[in-house]
């Protein structure tokens, strides 16, 4: 498994946190996904071996927990809260706006490869609805105007990268 | 024998009937004892309890006590202790009997719970019973009939899931039929120790699968088919061959090792379609190996022996017996018995050896035990040969002593009960020096070299008993008629014994008649007879044979006997 | 009657200018002093303080915390674990987020006191995966506390050692259920366990006795030990002691979090005065008082009965606005205080569509282990989805309610109720809207609010 040296060291650090190795399954999946962008079949088998489990034990987790993905996504991950409080304040509209801005549909990588937009369930920031997470950062009160602004920022960053 | 400790009994009340059950018995099992059916899917007596199907919901009540004084609160109307009924239903599989526990399985609440669960299980089910192999032994069908509402309110799109997935060489999966009870997953993990199945995805989209690239191919994979309560897991071998309701069930014993797993033979009009395990809590629980399930295929093969032969020519039974008798008169006879023969056959072989003053041998077959239901001793009945006195010591794989006797010219005739003597170490030259009288089912180098051949019956075509590694006497029954031309080995052996004995008196060959003399002549068998031997067998007193260097290591329900303490 | 002022115990420093989440700031505000005093006391005394306080769990069920601690099997000889439920995921709830992000040391102090009280040597904080920043903040805070010898081996020379690790979830609501959380912490699918026999207090993490407490609950423990259980029990109302963080979201002028003494504020005061009432030109239509699984209340309905005030039974006749925001009062009117998440809907909302939104959530989050919830939650979603996007039928409301009735009370865990209660209460209280929906849909304006 080809992981960054710091990922390996964090993996070795986290396993002894638990009386039973298997408990480290979720932490390892997070670390590997942060390193690789997604969980490949190779990663499943590697983690299983590392924790002295069968691959099915890890595969069961990857498919149960929505945050783990088995395919690469766009460079930025836009997660729009779909749940009631956000929907009441216009979550569906915000999601639609992002889709429009990046000419894509939920669950797909945008044609420019820049983003993957997804509906997710409650992000626990209902008081500032509608909310959106872009990668690890929470954005609050995302109406259509703010969605356009956030999209523009992503596009600018993409342009400067080129 | 040491009697097991008596379990503590507690009295519970199920639908108004009191019954004393061992403490800790769950409600499904306790209800079974009073013939009350508590329907279920996920519960299996030999697997851990997970309580996920919710079909076994029942109403539960406990005797009322005063919270302060713990004194019973009596109901003036009945004069009995008041029962506090819980407002919510509880699952029978995870509720254990406790003193005074009351259960209702027929109340409106229970009826409604069952109707609800049945409806839920069927809304995403394809309802493809006409082409489903499980039809006729499907718990969904049975319980929909017994406990369902009988009509559907579901007008939405059903979930779509993978169909006809080959989980392994012997098991096919239809995920749309799966009720996610997890029995198969638990079996693989807990019994077969081969953790390859699991659920992926979530909620109603949860899907049973084997890990991509891995196969369900352990030698116990077909048990998942047996315990699948629905048509999700089916057997590649049995699939689409026959509707189960046409099949006749006959109790039998697995012959692949000395474990003696209890089995059922499923046949129709003389043809066997499948073998499945039969529950015996002292031997194989509810399991058997996949390899043992294929043994029925030996019944109809091209190499079955179907004619009596004398000197290479087709002959008749009595002519062949006379020919054998002539050989016997010349003396120098040896008997090669078999650990595959039944106790009855070994008993007659022993009589034949006695009448001819012939040495008797057995051939061992030792493999690797799998710690579960295949033991190292691949003969089903070596201990039968000890009990009947056919042999006194454990056999070896090669007939070295017999070979030497042949080379020395002491042995002129060898009677083989189904053993291929070449496989047991006799050379072609040695075989050529003797006349072989062969009783067996399939052609082999020994039958080809034999002067006299009696075609015999497979375990599926006759009645008899085996003694397994625990010294448990277990019986098997004739499931299908004998192969055309084959003769019951007992008949041939009885005639040979008669021919060999000086008096020439007839010897019984019918199994029940034979058992009268078996019981009389073999003290270890006690008073048991074939007809009253329980279907789950009878443990014999094995002390006369204790301490022999048996080949077996530990398997399910079999530990090695403690080695005898060395005396100072 | 005008609304009382907030009583900020837990949220004392939340959003306070200049207050930071590092140890120095916390110490400057008297941090870890309560812990130091607590470590000098016998564990049983601390448990006793918590019992006396009357503290009820803030995660949703409102189970008395002291009782929970008393149920722990202390004779097994096995280690006892404390697992902090920071999986805040009940829609409408967003209190723990602010504690974790802005005042993590308050939580750590509460954890350490609770660990000491229960002879716990190892605690885990199970934080929801959607709080990656929160997880980092907690890890940093624990490292600071460890460096200051507040966490780790031989704490402040007391010979008592206790470690805390942060464990991230990965987006599954069911991990909020305590036995599902334990399974998840064991590296498995978060399938809740059957109880009996798997009560966490006896057979929890790795089959060892385990205490699972909510973030806010553990923060309260710090304040209880600080002021004494007796004093704490005087805050709030009898059987509903202490303060409570109410999270208001949805269609109000000023959504947000507000901390009040339990039972001292009514729904009307909270929504109209504190939150500034409905959005311009709108009127309140309905409110869910305790997270999306709590049964909905319809403005205009009335609740009558008798309730205990002191030693006396008195009649009550409440509108939605009159209901005190405490566990018992909300329970009395057929709903619950739950996690304190108050979701407000105004007259722009179609209730079929609002239920559709909720049903989608629960169908997505059902773990799929047991039949009624697995199949029932998706069926309800399919029905409301069809009503909104396809052919609605006037009988769908009755069918929905019947499906929900077949789930509640028959599942392994409380998710069965959580997914059934919205449907049961929406159909019961807005049955007219469900009946009329096929017609109403035809006449809906094109730009109406989309919820499904």
């Amino acid at each position: 498994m080809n992981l960054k040296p710091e990922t390996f060291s964090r993996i070795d650090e986290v396993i002894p946190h638990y009386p039973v190795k298997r408990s480290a399954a979720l932490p390892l999946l997070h670390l590997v996904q942060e390193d690789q962008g997604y969980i490949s079949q190779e990663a499943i088998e590697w983690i299983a071996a590392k924790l002295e489990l069968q691959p099915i034990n890890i595969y069961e987790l990857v498919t149960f927990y929505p945050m783990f993905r088995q395919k690469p996504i766009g460079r930025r991950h836009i997660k729009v809260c779909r749940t009631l409080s956000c929907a009441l304040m216009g979550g569906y509209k915000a999601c639609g706006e992002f889709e429009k801005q990046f000419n894509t549909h939920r669950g797909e990588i945008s044609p420019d490869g820049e983003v993957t937009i997804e509906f997710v369930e409650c992000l626990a920031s209902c008081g500032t609805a509608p909310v959106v997470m872009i990668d690890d950062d929470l954005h609050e009160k995302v109406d259509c105007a703010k969605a356009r602004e956030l999209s523009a920022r992503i596009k600018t960053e993409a342009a400067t990268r080129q | 024998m040491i009697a097991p400790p008596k379990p503590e009994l507690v009295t519970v009340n199920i639908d108004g009937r009191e019954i004393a059950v061992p403490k800790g018995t769950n409600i499904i099992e306790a209800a079974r004892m009073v013939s009350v059916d508590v329907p279920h899917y996920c519960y299996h007596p030999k697997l851990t309890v997970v309580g996920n199907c919710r079909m076994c919901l029942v109403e539960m009540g406990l005797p009322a006590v005063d919270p302060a004084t713990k004194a019973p609160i009596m109901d003036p109307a009945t004069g009995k202790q008041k029962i506090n009924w819980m407002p919510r239903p509880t699952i029978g599989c995870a509720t254990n009997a406790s003193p005074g526990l009351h259960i209702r399985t027929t109340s409106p609440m229970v009826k409604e719970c069952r109707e609800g669960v049945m409806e839920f299980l069927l809304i995403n089910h394809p309802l493809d019973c006409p082409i489903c192999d499980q039809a006729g032994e499907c718990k969904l069908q049975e319980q929909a009939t017994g406990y369902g509402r009988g009509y559907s309110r579901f007008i939405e799109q059903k979930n779509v899931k993978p169909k006809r997935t080959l989980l392994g060489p012997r098991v096919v999966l239809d995920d749309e039929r799966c009720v996610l009870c997890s029995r198969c997953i638990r079996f693989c993990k807990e019994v077969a120790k081969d953790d390859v199945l699991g659920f992926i995805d979530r909620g109603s989209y949860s899907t049973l699968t084997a890990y991509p690239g891995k196969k369900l191919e352990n030698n116990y994979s077909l048990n998942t088919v047996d315990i699948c309560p629905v048509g999700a897991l089916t057997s590649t071998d049995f699939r689409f061959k026959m509707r189960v309701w046409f099949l006749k069930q006959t109790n039998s014993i697995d012959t692949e090792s000395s474990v003696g797993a209890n089995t059922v033979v499923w046949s129709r009009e003389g043809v066997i379609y499948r073998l499945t395990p039969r529950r015996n809590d002292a031997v194989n629980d509810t399991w058997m190996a996949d390899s043992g399930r294929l043994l029925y295929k030996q019944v109809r093969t091209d190499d079955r022996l179907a004619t009596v032969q004398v000197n290479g020519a087709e002959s008749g039974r009595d002519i062949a017996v006379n020919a054998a008798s002539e050989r016997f008169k010349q003396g120098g006879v040896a008997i090669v018995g078999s650990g595959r023969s039944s106790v009855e056959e070994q008993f007659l072989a022993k009589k034949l050896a006695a009448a001819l003053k012939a040495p008797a041998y057995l051939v061992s077959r030792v493999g690797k035990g799998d710690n579960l239901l295949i033991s190292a001793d691949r003969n089903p009945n070596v201990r039968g040969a000890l009990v009947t006195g056919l042999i006194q010591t454990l056999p070896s794989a090669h007939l070295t002593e017999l070979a030497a006797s042949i080379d020395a010219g002491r042995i002129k005739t060898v009677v083989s009960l189904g053993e291929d003597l070449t496989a047991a170490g006799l050379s072609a030259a040695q075989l050529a020096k003797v006349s072989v009288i062969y009783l067996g089912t399939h052609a082999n180098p020994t039958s080809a070299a034999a002067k006299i051949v009696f075609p015999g019956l497979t375990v599926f075509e006759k009645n008899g008993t085996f003694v397994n590694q625990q010294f448990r006497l277990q019986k098997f029954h004739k499931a299908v008629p004998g192969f055309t031309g084959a003769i019951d080995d007992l008949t041939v052996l009885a005639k040979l014994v008669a021919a060999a004995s000086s008096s020439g008196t007839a010897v019984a060959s019918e199994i029940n008649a034979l058992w009268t003399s078996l019981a009389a002549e073999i003290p270890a068998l006690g008073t048991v007879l074939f007809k009253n031997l329980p279907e789950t067998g009878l443990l014999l007193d094995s002390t006369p044979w204790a301490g022999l260097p048996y080949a077996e290591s530990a398997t399910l329900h079999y530990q090695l006997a403690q080695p005898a303490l060395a005396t100072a | 009657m005008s609304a009382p002022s907030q009583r900020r115990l837990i949220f004392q420093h939340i959003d306070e200018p200049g207050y930071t989440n590092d140890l120095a700031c916390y110490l400057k505000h008297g941090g870890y002093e309560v812990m130091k005093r607590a470590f000098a006391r016998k564990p049983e005394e601390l448990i006793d303080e918590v019992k006396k306080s009357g503290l009820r769990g803030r995660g949703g069920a409102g189970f008395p915390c002291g009782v929970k601690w008393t149920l722990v099997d202390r004779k097994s000889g096995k280690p006892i674990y404390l697992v902090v439920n920071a999986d805040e995921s009940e829609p409408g709830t967003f209190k723990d987020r602010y504690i974790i992000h802005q005042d993590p040391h308050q939580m750590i102090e509460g954890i350490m006191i609770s660990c000491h009280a229960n002879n716990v040597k190892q605690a885990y904080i199970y934080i929801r995966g959607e709080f990656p920043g929160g997880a980092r903040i907690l890890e940093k805070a624990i490292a600071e506390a460890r460096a200051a010898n507040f966490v780790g081996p031989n704490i402040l020379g007391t010979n008592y050692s206790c470690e805390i690790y942060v464990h991230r979830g990965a987006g599954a609501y069911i991990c909020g259920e305590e036995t599902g959380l334990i399974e998840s912490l064991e590296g498995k699918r978060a399938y809740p366990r059957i109880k009996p026999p798997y009560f966490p207090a006896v057979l929890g993490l790795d089959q060892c006795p385990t205490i699972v407490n909510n973030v806010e609950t553990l923060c309260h423990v710090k304040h209880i030990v600080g002021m004494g259980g007796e004093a704490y029990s005087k805050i709030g109302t009898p059987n509903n002691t202490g303060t409570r963080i109410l999270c208001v979201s949805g269609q109000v002028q000023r959504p947000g979090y507000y901390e009040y003494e339990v039972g001292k504020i009514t729904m009307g005061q909270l929504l109209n005065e504190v939150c500034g009432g409905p959005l311009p030109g709108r009127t309140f239509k309905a409110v869910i008082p305790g997270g999306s699984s709590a049964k909905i209340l319809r403005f205009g309905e009335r609740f009558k009965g008798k309730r205990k005030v002191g030693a006396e039974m008195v009649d009550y006749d409440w509108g939605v606005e009159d209901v005190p925001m405490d566990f018992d009062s909300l329970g009395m009117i057929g709903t619950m205080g739950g996690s304190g998440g108050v979701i407000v809907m105004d007259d722009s909302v179609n209730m079929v569509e609002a239920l559709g939104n909720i049903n989608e959530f629960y169908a997505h989050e059902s773990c799929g282990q047991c039949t009624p919830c697995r199949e029932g939650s998706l069926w309800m979603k399919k029905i409301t989805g069809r009503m909104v996007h396809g052919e609605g039928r006037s009988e769908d409301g009755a069918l929905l309610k019947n499906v929900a009735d077949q789930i509640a009370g028959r599942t392994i865990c409380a998710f069965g109720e959580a997914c059934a209660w919205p449907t049961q209460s929406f159909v019961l209280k807005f049955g007219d809207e469900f009946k009329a929906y096929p017609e109403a849909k035809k006449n809906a304006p094109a730009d109406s609010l989309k919820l499904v």
Side-chain angles (χ1 to χ4, degrees), chain B residues 57-227:
Chain B
L57 286 168
V58 292
E59 254 189 278
M60 181 175 90
L62 288 168
V65 288
D66 186 289
T69 64
K70 307 277 174 230
I73 299 173
M74 305 309 279
D75 182 353
T78 60
K80 288 183 178 164
Q81 192 169 359
K82 224 181 117 192
I83 300 301
N84 285 336
W85 289 95
M86 309 290 156
R88 285 160 157 245
T90 183
I91 44 173
C93 63
T95 304
N96 291 335
S98 60
L101 181 74
H102 276 57
I103 295 292
R104 288 178 183 147
T105 75
T106 55
S107 65
M109 187 214 276
V110 175
K111 183 172 178 286
E112 211 194 289
C113 286
R114 291 172 179 173
E115 287 176 357
V117 172
M118 273 318 304
E119 181 173 45
F120 285 140
L121 287 174
L122 292 176
I123 57 176
N124 282 302
H125 186 85
L127 304 175
D128 57 347
C129 307
I131 54 133
C132 177
D133 227 51
Q134 190 81 358
E137 53 183 358
C138 174
K139 292 289 171 198
L140 268 182
Q141 277 188 339
E142 287 169 23
Q143 293 173 19
T145 308
Y147 309 107
R149 215 177 263 132
Y151 57 88
S152 175
R153 303 184 290 176
F154 186 79
I155 62 163
E156 325 299 336
Q157 288 279 318
K158 284 179 189 277
N159 295 345
V160 176
K161 289 184 186 177
K163 295 184 85 75
R164 293 174 289 276
T165 312
L166 262 181
L167 282 183
R170 294 176 291 280
V171 181
V172 186
L173 165 65
D174 183 321
D175 265 306
E176 290 185 349
R177 294 179 188 154
C178 174
V179 293
L180 303 166
C181 71
S182 80
R183 276 181 173 187
C184 54
I185 299 176
R186 281 176 281 150
F187 172 81
C188 287
K189 204 171 294 198
E190 296 164 15
V191 181
K193 315 279 187 222
D194 179 28
D195 204 356
V196 27
L197 297 183
F199 290 134
I200 55 162
D201 297 333
R202 207 162 69 165
S204 185
Y205 300 107
S206 300
T207 303
L208 175 68
T209 190
Y211 181 72
K214 287 224 175 191
K215 289 192 178 76
L216 174 62
E217 57 188 352
N218 68 62
N219 194 29
Y220 291 87
S221 68
L222 282 167
N223 291 287
T224 63
V225 173
D226 299 332
I227 59 176

Side-chain angles (χ1 to χ4, degrees), chain B residues 88 149 156-157 201, chain C residues 189 382 386 406 410 417:
Chain B
R88 285 160 157 245
R149 215 177 263 132
E156 325 299 336
Q157 288 279 318
D201 297 333
Chain C
R189 292 160 73 87
K382 284 178 177 177
R386 171 175 51 75
Q406 291 186 161
R410 302 177 189 181
E417 283 75 31

